[in-house]
Amino acid sequence: MKIIQLNIYGYGQFHHTEIMLDSPSFQVIYGENEAGKSTIMSFIQSILFGFPQKVQQEKRYEPKHVNAYGGSLVAETVQHGRVKIERLPGKAGSGVTVYFENGETGGADVLQQLLSYFDKTVYQSIYSFDIHGIQQVSKVGAEDLGKFLLSSGLLGTDAVLQTELSLSKKQEQLFKPNGKKPEINAALTALKDIHTEVMKAKQHLEPYSDLINEKEAAEQSLREITERKRELEADAKRIGEIVEALPLFHEEAALKDELDKAQSHFPSNGLKRMEELEGRESPLRSEYMALKTIIREQTEAIEQVPAEERILECKEEIERLRGEYSAWEMKRAQYGQTRTKLEETESRIHEEKKRLFSHEIDNRTILDLNTGAAVKEEIREIVGKHQHLQQKKHLLDQQFERVKENLEESENRLSDYAERMLEEEERRQLEERVRYLEDVQRASLDKKKLSEEHRAVQTDIRKQKDAVEKNNSRLKGLGVFFALIILLCTGWLLSEELWLIAAVLLSLGLAGFFILMKNSKSDTSFLEHLEKKEKELKEQLDAADNDSDTTSDMETAKGILWKDEQIRRSYELEEVVFKQSERAYDRTVSSFDDWEKEYYTADQQARRAFEALHMDSSFSPLSLPDLLQSAANLQNDILAFRQAEKKAAELSADLTAYEKKVASLAQSFEIEGTACSSLLDGLLKALKDSEENKRMRETAAAKRAEAEDKLKKIDAEIGLLEEKKNELLSLAGACDTEEFWEKAKEAEHLAAVKQKASWIQQQLKTKQHLLAHEPLDFSKDYTAEKARCEQELIAAADTENQLKKKLAELTVHIKSMEESGVYSDLKQKAALQKEEVKQLARQWAVLAAARHMLNQTVEYSRSVRLPSLLQQAESFFSRLTNERYVKVFLPENEQTITVERKDGTRFAAHELSQATAEQLYIGIRLALSCHISTSEAMPLLIDDGFVNFDRERTGRVMDLLRELSEHHQILFFTCQEHLLKLFHESEILDLEKKKRAAGLSPHS
């Protein structure tokens, strides 16, 4: 994955900013402090993995000046090509969207797949590191440096080291082998002291042991008497049950004697078998009589039903006609519908002709009308033009009203401005008044100078008057002289008929006269100017004494002039607007002329279309599609009318043929009727009656035959039952049925005795456990034996009560002794202390197990993952140290890293110099990023990670990074200007220049 573009909507100091990464393999992002490097680095991680939550300590970079938050980035991927990842604020990744080149989109699950299911923490630990991670090398103690580097090789961070140190510290806080302050050590010491105090307190209680022994002896005796009591209770219960069961045992013996004496040869279940045979014989004899009746009745029924065979021979023809009847009805309905449709279609055709055509027109002409696709397309174009022209007309009307309104408004404003403007003479007077007042104001400052100037002007006026008088007298003499000469010459030329020369000479004379008059007037105008100036100076001198009113008058006049100037400027601007409105008005009028020409052309096309359809052009051109469709529908109706006429004729022929067949068959069987349906119903009824009679005869004959067969079977069954009854009488030794019933009663009595004996045996089965110890002896007195057991049981109960009483007294005595001293308190305290030690021991065991599992995981990674990773790290470390160190390996049974110098000397991690340790850390981190294989090579983010390196070491790091950039994009953030010399200009993105180009403050 290579990031090629960042679009920041709002993030930190950036908003609405687009950043192009022109060098997709190795991009250097340069900027001074607070230029936004960390903001861009955080923005990339936030777009890929989500914005930091508010509960997290990580900065969220929420913008201060805009509401937008988030942005997008564009990246080149191996699997999907160019993708755009956009993230906006949302819950649980709902704000992220991935856009593909083919137009498809995806969500957070697709983005996770692109990122190889890395989260932000894993990405930062593998593909992102800065100066803080490198400076951590200097902060780690010498004894833990090897573990720190090993942890960096496993996870990219010191998480393993920190977790192992935390677990070790917590264990030591709980227990140390030779410690005193840890919690378990202190608790064991306290438990030992308490146990010593308990033993001392126990020595002061000498009678206590005797009482304990006596109590134990009493408890033993109580257990023995209790056991004896249980045995006596069991014997008494067994003997009592034997006494209760003795009557059953005696009755069982008596029943056995009675059964042994009785003898019976009555057949098994004889009575039941006889009852069954008689029960079966009785319904058979009743059924025998019923069958005889049925045979007689069915014979009579057969003789009463008549037989009609002639109509049955025509059954197929009648059935065929009945099958065709539904088709006939359907055709009749179709015929009616067709006739109705014909009438409706004919009426519709007439109405449409009347509506569409203003003159009579035949169907053939209508069918010949061209309503094809070409005509539809032509009409569609005509309608489109008319619609366009109507819309254009509507727009022109609106435009005309708008332009007219603007023109009128502009004209009204011009009139208003003209009314409010000062007249030219009034304005000139005001301007002169202002100049005069300004001169007065200036004159008031130097009245003496003004008086001298006034006197000088008066002197000039006198001189100018003298000069003008002299000049006028001289010019008059010259004018008279030249006039006489020109008149004489002109007269002579005219007399010689030299008209052209005379005209030229006369023109020259007139021109000279005008020049002389102009010079005279110029002198006079200068004199007027001097007189005017003299008048102004005099007024200024006169007004010098009234200077207090001069300032207010001047300000008032200036205000009026300023206001008039503003109105004049507005008037000039409005004149421009008025001219523009006039031009717009002229253009609108011209557009109306163009529209009229277009409308005429379109109207001619519409008229030709109406003529082609033989329709009146009074219809609106916009109705042409509907009219064409109506014509096409009319053609379809005419064609449908012709088809319906043909179909009606065919249906009429089929109906007539069917009705003739039905009428002919009905007449042959003398069935009367007029309608086809009634005739067919008569035929079907006659056929049904004949079939019913035939069925009745056949049914009666079948019932008679069935009854005769059943009669034969019942007769055989009755004979068989008689034989079985005789066999039972023979087995019972009886001559007749009465003797059989007497012997049956005797057999029932013996069966009752057997049943009672069986019941008693079932009852005694529950008493068999009473005979487990000894067989039943009817000569023994079980009642006396029961009384003896009960007396022994009473004696045992008395002994038990005495022992319980004694045991209770001993318990109370011992308890009072325990409660009277410190012994009981010390025992309780010892128990509580033991429980506390157990709890602490369990906590220590949990920590020990966690630490063991962590070490096992590290050891597994040492043996499986790290060898190949360290092989890559060894190559990087060798290049970074300029081949001074050649090997990096893991010592056996140690969680550290060892390196070997070129001369064969080996160094533990804590023995390396600070710069060399940092080079080893960088080699391991870069090897880890290369070692993690994913489908998309993730970009490496490095933030000023090499500020502690000299120029030579920095150059070697950059060479290594440039080599890695062939597989991973490198984004190198730096504020070190001297590093820019190591890169090509196309690889450098200067944030300061970009901000200046965008018109932003460099540190905004």
Side-chain angles (χ1 to χ4, degrees), residues 54-92:
K54 292 184 178 180
V55 296
Q56 296 176 344
Q57 296 181 353
E58 190 175 353
K59 291 178 65 175
R60 285 174 52 81
Y61 288 97
E62 291 182 330
K64 302 294 185 182
H65 305 294
V66 294
N67 295 327
Y69 182 47
S72 64
L73 61 80
V74 180
E76 287 285 352
T77 63
V78 177
Q79 294 182 344
H80 305 286
R82 181 167 296 189
V83 300
K84 175 184 177 183
I85 303 170
E86 182 182 49
R87 188 180 293 273
L88 299 173
K91 294 183 178 179

Tab-separated table of all heavy atoms in Angstrom, residues 54-92:
chain	number	residue	atom	x	y	z
A	54	LYS	N	-12.555	9.963	23.055
A	54	LYS	CA	-12.395	11.062	24.001
A	54	LYS	C	-11.854	10.585	25.348
A	54	LYS	O	-11.260	11.364	26.091
A	54	LYS	CB	-13.737	11.763	24.209
A	54	LYS	CG	-14.209	12.500	22.948
A	54	LYS	CD	-15.488	13.260	23.198
A	54	LYS	CE	-15.910	14.025	21.938
A	54	LYS	NZ	-17.165	14.780	22.150
A	55	VAL	N	-12.096	9.300	25.677
A	55	VAL	CA	-11.614	8.785	26.964
A	55	VAL	C	-10.135	8.417	26.898
A	55	VAL	O	-9.524	8.131	27.929
A	55	VAL	CB	-12.443	7.549	27.382
A	55	VAL	CG1	-13.886	7.944	27.620
A	55	VAL	CG2	-12.360	6.454	26.311
A	56	GLN	N	-9.536	8.396	25.692
A	56	GLN	CA	-8.134	8.056	25.550
A	56	GLN	C	-7.266	9.295	25.765
A	56	GLN	O	-7.719	10.430	25.618
A	56	GLN	CB	-7.864	7.462	24.160
A	56	GLN	CG	-8.595	6.138	23.915
A	56	GLN	CD	-8.392	5.636	22.504
A	56	GLN	OE1	-7.970	6.379	21.625
A	56	GLN	NE2	-8.670	4.368	22.281
A	57	GLN	N	-6.003	9.050	26.119
A	57	GLN	CA	-5.074	10.142	26.352
A	57	GLN	C	-4.501	10.697	25.050
A	57	GLN	O	-3.934	11.792	25.035
A	57	GLN	CB	-3.927	9.664	27.266
A	57	GLN	CG	-4.392	9.267	28.666
A	57	GLN	CD	-3.233	8.837	29.545
A	57	GLN	OE1	-2.107	8.720	29.078
A	57	GLN	NE2	-3.528	8.597	30.800
A	58	GLU	N	-4.636	9.966	23.954
A	58	GLU	CA	-4.092	10.405	22.670
A	58	GLU	C	-4.843	11.635	22.159
A	58	GLU	O	-6.063	11.744	22.314
A	58	GLU	CB	-4.212	9.268	21.653
A	58	GLU	CG	-3.471	9.533	20.366
A	58	GLU	CD	-3.536	8.320	19.447
A	58	GLU	OE1	-4.041	7.278	19.896
A	58	GLU	OE2	-3.079	8.432	18.312
A	59	LYS	N	-4.105	12.582	21.550
A	59	LYS	CA	-4.714	13.819	21.048
A	59	LYS	C	-5.668	13.511	19.893
A	59	LYS	O	-5.391	12.681	19.036
A	59	LYS	CB	-3.629	14.787	20.575
A	59	LYS	CG	-2.786	15.369	21.703
A	59	LYS	CD	-1.691	16.277	21.150
A	59	LYS	CE	-2.296	17.493	20.468
A	59	LYS	NZ	-1.238	18.433	20.025
A	60	ARG	N	-6.814	14.213	19.874
A	60	ARG	CA	-7.818	14.007	18.829
A	60	ARG	C	-7.666	14.988	17.661
A	60	ARG	O	-8.218	14.784	16.595
A	60	ARG	CB	-9.219	14.172	19.417
A	60	ARG	CG	-9.647	12.998	20.268
A	60	ARG	CD	-10.980	13.259	20.942
A	60	ARG	NE	-12.016	13.671	20.019
A	60	ARG	CZ	-12.727	12.834	19.266
A	60	ARG	NH1	-12.499	11.544	19.342
A	60	ARG	NH2	-13.669	13.291	18.465
A	61	TYR	N	-6.926	16.090	17.843
A	61	TYR	CA	-6.703	17.087	16.790
A	61	TYR	C	-8.020	17.590	16.196
A	61	TYR	O	-8.201	17.664	14.981
A	61	TYR	CB	-5.840	16.502	15.670
A	61	TYR	CG	-4.394	16.303	16.065
A	61	TYR	CD1	-3.949	15.060	16.491
A	61	TYR	CD2	-3.482	17.357	16.017
A	61	TYR	CE1	-2.616	14.851	16.868
A	61	TYR	CE2	-2.159	17.161	16.385
A	61	TYR	CZ	-1.724	15.923	16.814
A	61	TYR	OH	-0.422	15.736	17.168
A	62	GLU	N	-8.986	17.903	17.055
A	62	GLU	CA	-10.238	18.463	16.559
A	62	GLU	C	-10.006	19.916	16.124
A	62	GLU	O	-9.400	20.702	16.858
A	62	GLU	CB	-11.318	18.417	17.638
A	62	GLU	CG	-11.771	17.003	17.970
A	62	GLU	CD	-12.869	16.966	19.003
A	62	GLU	OE1	-12.916	17.870	19.862
A	62	GLU	OE2	-13.657	16.023	18.959
A	63	PRO	N	-10.484	20.318	14.927
A	63	PRO	CA	-10.229	21.679	14.429
A	63	PRO	C	-10.959	22.718	15.278
A	63	PRO	O	-12.027	22.456	15.833
A	63	PRO	CB	-10.774	21.646	13.000
A	63	PRO	CG	-11.753	20.528	12.999
A	63	PRO	CD	-11.264	19.515	13.983
A	64	LYS	N	-10.368	23.906	15.367
A	64	LYS	CA	-10.932	24.991	16.174
A	64	LYS	C	-11.794	25.954	15.349
A	64	LYS	O	-12.683	26.604	15.895
A	64	LYS	CB	-9.795	25.788	16.838
A	64	LYS	CG	-8.875	24.956	17.720
A	64	LYS	CD	-9.591	24.416	18.941
A	64	LYS	CE	-8.615	23.681	19.859
A	64	LYS	NZ	-9.313	23.111	21.033
A	65	HIS	N	-11.510	26.082	14.061
A	65	HIS	CA	-12.135	27.140	13.265
A	65	HIS	C	-13.160	26.619	12.257
A	65	HIS	O	-13.799	27.424	11.581
A	65	HIS	CB	-11.058	27.937	12.522
A	65	HIS	CG	-9.993	28.490	13.437
A	65	HIS	ND1	-10.271	29.455	14.382
A	65	HIS	CD2	-8.670	28.188	13.565
A	65	HIS	CE1	-9.151	29.732	15.042
A	65	HIS	NE2	-8.171	28.985	14.570
A	66	VAL	N	-13.290	25.326	12.091
A	66	VAL	CA	-14.278	24.773	11.154
A	66	VAL	C	-15.022	23.642	11.854
A	66	VAL	O	-14.546	23.068	12.837
A	66	VAL	CB	-13.605	24.230	9.864
A	66	VAL	CG1	-12.995	25.354	9.069
A	66	VAL	CG2	-12.555	23.174	10.195
A	67	ASN	N	-16.206	23.341	11.343
A	67	ASN	CA	-17.004	22.258	11.927
A	67	ASN	C	-16.636	20.901	11.360
A	67	ASN	O	-16.898	19.877	11.981
A	67	ASN	CB	-18.493	22.524	11.683
A	67	ASN	CG	-18.984	23.758	12.413
A	67	ASN	OD1	-18.484	24.057	13.497
A	67	ASN	ND2	-19.921	24.486	11.829
A	68	ALA	N	-16.068	20.878	10.142
A	68	ALA	CA	-15.725	19.604	9.510
A	68	ALA	C	-14.610	18.908	10.296
A	68	ALA	O	-13.693	19.553	10.793
A	68	ALA	CB	-15.285	19.835	8.065
A	69	TYR	N	-14.715	17.581	10.400
A	69	TYR	CA	-13.705	16.790	11.111
A	69	TYR	C	-13.511	15.491	10.345
A	69	TYR	O	-14.451	14.754	10.094
A	69	TYR	CB	-14.168	16.508	12.538
A	69	TYR	CG	-13.162	15.731	13.386
A	69	TYR	CD1	-11.829	16.097	13.415
A	69	TYR	CD2	-13.556	14.642	14.153
A	69	TYR	CE1	-10.918	15.412	14.198
A	69	TYR	CE2	-12.656	13.953	14.937
A	69	TYR	CZ	-11.326	14.344	14.959
A	69	TYR	OH	-10.416	13.657	15.734
A	70	GLY	N	-12.280	15.214	9.961
A	70	GLY	CA	-11.992	13.991	9.220
A	70	GLY	C	-11.378	14.311	7.872
A	70	GLY	O	-10.834	15.393	7.638
A	71	GLY	N	-11.468	13.353	6.963
A	71	GLY	CA	-10.888	13.537	5.636
A	71	GLY	C	-10.766	12.199	4.921
A	71	GLY	O	-11.432	11.214	5.266
A	72	SER	N	-9.896	12.137	3.940
A	72	SER	CA	-9.716	10.923	3.154
A	72	SER	C	-8.286	10.875	2.655
A	72	SER	O	-7.569	11.881	2.655
A	72	SER	CB	-10.687	10.886	1.974
A	72	SER	OG	-10.406	11.942	1.083
A	73	LEU	N	-7.885	9.672	2.241
A	73	LEU	CA	-6.586	9.505	1.598
A	73	LEU	C	-6.747	8.552	0.427
A	73	LEU	O	-7.638	7.695	0.423
A	73	LEU	CB	-5.524	9.022	2.594
A	73	LEU	CG	-5.687	7.675	3.319
A	73	LEU	CD1	-5.281	6.483	2.451
A	73	LEU	CD2	-4.864	7.680	4.599
A	74	VAL	N	-5.918	8.714	-0.564
A	74	VAL	CA	-5.926	7.863	-1.755
A	74	VAL	C	-4.645	7.041	-1.736
A	74	VAL	O	-3.553	7.579	-1.510
A	74	VAL	CB	-6.011	8.703	-3.045
A	74	VAL	CG1	-6.017	7.801	-4.270
A	74	VAL	CG2	-7.255	9.586	-3.010
A	75	ALA	N	-4.771	5.739	-1.943
A	75	ALA	CA	-3.616	4.839	-1.862
A	75	ALA	C	-3.648	3.864	-3.030
A	75	ALA	O	-4.704	3.493	-3.544
A	75	ALA	CB	-3.616	4.085	-0.538
A	76	GLU	N	-2.444	3.450	-3.449
A	76	GLU	CA	-2.296	2.404	-4.461
A	76	GLU	C	-2.103	1.074	-3.743
A	76	GLU	O	-1.229	0.946	-2.881
A	76	GLU	CB	-1.084	2.690	-5.349
A	76	GLU	CG	-1.281	3.826	-6.335
A	76	GLU	CD	-2.155	3.418	-7.509
A	76	GLU	OE1	-2.459	2.217	-7.614
A	76	GLU	OE2	-2.534	4.291	-8.305
A	77	THR	N	-2.955	0.068	-4.083
A	77	THR	CA	-2.860	-1.245	-3.455
A	77	THR	C	-2.573	-2.303	-4.505
A	77	THR	O	-2.815	-2.093	-5.698
A	77	THR	CB	-4.150	-1.580	-2.705
A	77	THR	OG1	-5.226	-1.648	-3.658
A	77	THR	CG2	-4.479	-0.505	-1.671
A	78	VAL	N	-2.079	-3.436	-4.049
A	78	VAL	CA	-1.741	-4.535	-4.954
A	78	VAL	C	-3.006	-5.233	-5.439
A	78	VAL	O	-3.158	-5.542	-6.615
A	78	VAL	CB	-0.799	-5.529	-4.244
A	78	VAL	CG1	-0.507	-6.725	-5.154
A	78	VAL	CG2	0.492	-4.841	-3.841
A	79	GLN	N	-3.948	-5.462	-4.532
A	79	GLN	CA	-5.131	-6.256	-4.867
A	79	GLN	C	-6.186	-5.450	-5.618
A	79	GLN	O	-6.811	-5.953	-6.547
A	79	GLN	CB	-5.757	-6.824	-3.588
A	79	GLN	CG	-4.880	-7.837	-2.869
A	79	GLN	CD	-5.559	-8.405	-1.642
A	79	GLN	OE1	-6.527	-7.854	-1.171
A	79	GLN	NE2	-5.034	-9.493	-1.117
A	80	HIS	N	-6.415	-4.192	-5.219
A	80	HIS	CA	-7.560	-3.434	-5.727
A	80	HIS	C	-7.166	-2.197	-6.533
A	80	HIS	O	-8.031	-1.409	-6.893
A	80	HIS	CB	-8.455	-3.005	-4.562
A	80	HIS	CG	-8.904	-4.151	-3.709
A	80	HIS	ND1	-9.871	-5.048	-4.105
A	80	HIS	CD2	-8.493	-4.561	-2.468
A	80	HIS	CE1	-10.064	-5.939	-3.158
A	80	HIS	NE2	-9.242	-5.670	-2.155
A	81	GLY	N	-5.895	-1.977	-6.781
A	81	GLY	CA	-5.499	-0.785	-7.506
A	81	GLY	C	-5.642	0.450	-6.632
A	81	GLY	O	-5.348	0.427	-5.441
A	82	ARG	N	-6.111	1.518	-7.222
A	82	ARG	CA	-6.238	2.773	-6.474
A	82	ARG	C	-7.554	2.773	-5.700
A	82	ARG	O	-8.617	2.522	-6.266
A	82	ARG	CB	-6.189	3.954	-7.429
A	82	ARG	CG	-6.291	5.325	-6.743
A	82	ARG	CD	-5.929	6.464	-7.676
A	82	ARG	NE	-4.522	6.398	-8.095
A	82	ARG	CZ	-3.887	7.356	-8.763
A	82	ARG	NH1	-4.546	8.467	-9.062
A	82	ARG	NH2	-2.635	7.213	-9.115
A	83	VAL	N	-7.484	3.036	-4.405
A	83	VAL	CA	-8.659	3.103	-3.539
A	83	VAL	C	-8.628	4.416	-2.782
A	83	VAL	O	-7.571	4.996	-2.542
A	83	VAL	CB	-8.720	1.917	-2.549
A	83	VAL	CG1	-8.788	0.601	-3.280
A	83	VAL	CG2	-7.540	1.928	-1.599
A	84	LYS	N	-9.839	4.845	-2.407
A	84	LYS	CA	-9.985	6.055	-1.591
A	84	LYS	C	-10.615	5.652	-0.267
A	84	LYS	O	-11.662	4.999	-0.259
A	84	LYS	CB	-10.864	7.079	-2.311
A	84	LYS	CG	-11.151	8.324	-1.472
A	84	LYS	CD	-12.105	9.273	-2.193
A	84	LYS	CE	-12.453	10.472	-1.332
A	84	LYS	NZ	-13.436	11.363	-1.991
A	85	ILE	N	-9.964	6.035	0.842
A	85	ILE	CA	-10.452	5.701	2.182
A	85	ILE	C	-10.886	7.008	2.830
A	85	ILE	O	-10.075	7.902	3.035
A	85	ILE	CB	-9.368	5.012	3.019
A	85	ILE	CG1	-8.858	3.746	2.293
A	85	ILE	CG2	-9.890	4.653	4.404
A	85	ILE	CD1	-7.620	3.151	2.933
A	86	GLU	N	-12.179	7.116	3.129
A	86	GLU	CA	-12.729	8.326	3.744
A	86	GLU	C	-13.260	7.985	5.125
A	86	GLU	O	-13.948	6.969	5.305
A	86	GLU	CB	-13.854	8.887	2.868
A	86	GLU	CG	-14.452	10.181	3.428
A	86	GLU	CD	-15.602	10.698	2.574
A	86	GLU	OE1	-16.490	9.883	2.268
A	86	GLU	OE2	-15.618	11.884	2.238
A	87	ARG	N	-12.945	8.816	6.099
A	87	ARG	CA	-13.443	8.581	7.456
A	87	ARG	C	-14.001	9.891	8.014
A	87	ARG	O	-13.347	10.930	7.972
A	87	ARG	CB	-12.325	8.051	8.374
A	87	ARG	CG	-12.858	7.606	9.740
A	87	ARG	CD	-11.735	7.084	10.624
A	87	ARG	NE	-11.152	5.858	10.128
A	87	ARG	CZ	-11.599	4.653	10.395
A	87	ARG	NH1	-12.673	4.513	11.147
A	87	ARG	NH2	-10.973	3.589	9.915
A	88	LEU	N	-15.232	9.801	8.499
A	88	LEU	CA	-15.906	10.915	9.155
A	88	LEU	C	-16.312	10.455	10.546
A	88	LEU	O	-16.334	9.249	10.826
A	88	LEU	CB	-17.144	11.334	8.349
A	88	LEU	CG	-16.862	11.820	6.925
A	88	LEU	CD1	-18.163	12.031	6.171
A	88	LEU	CD2	-16.059	13.116	6.943
A	89	PRO	N	-16.640	11.371	11.452
A	89	PRO	CA	-17.003	10.947	12.818
A	89	PRO	C	-18.170	9.982	12.787
A	89	PRO	O	-19.152	10.178	12.089
A	89	PRO	CB	-17.384	12.264	13.515
A	89	PRO	CG	-16.668	13.311	12.752
A	89	PRO	CD	-16.618	12.838	11.330
A	90	GLY	N	-18.054	8.888	13.531
A	90	GLY	CA	-19.105	7.884	13.625
A	90	GLY	C	-18.787	6.913	14.740
A	90	GLY	O	-17.701	6.919	15.316
A	91	LYS	N	-19.770	6.033	15.058
A	91	LYS	CA	-19.599	5.078	16.141
A	91	LYS	C	-19.135	3.732	15.606
A	91	LYS	O	-19.670	3.218	14.647
A	91	LYS	CB	-20.925	4.884	16.905
A	91	LYS	CG	-21.365	6.136	17.644
A	91	LYS	CD	-22.637	5.866	18.438
A	91	LYS	CE	-23.059	7.101	19.216
A	91	LYS	NZ	-24.299	6.867	19.984
A	92	ALA	N	-18.168	3.138	16.311
A	92	ALA	CA	-17.706	1.766	16.037
A	92	ALA	C	-17.370	1.554	14.574
A	92	ALA	O	-17.735	0.577	13.951
A	92	ALA	CB	-18.759	0.749	16.478
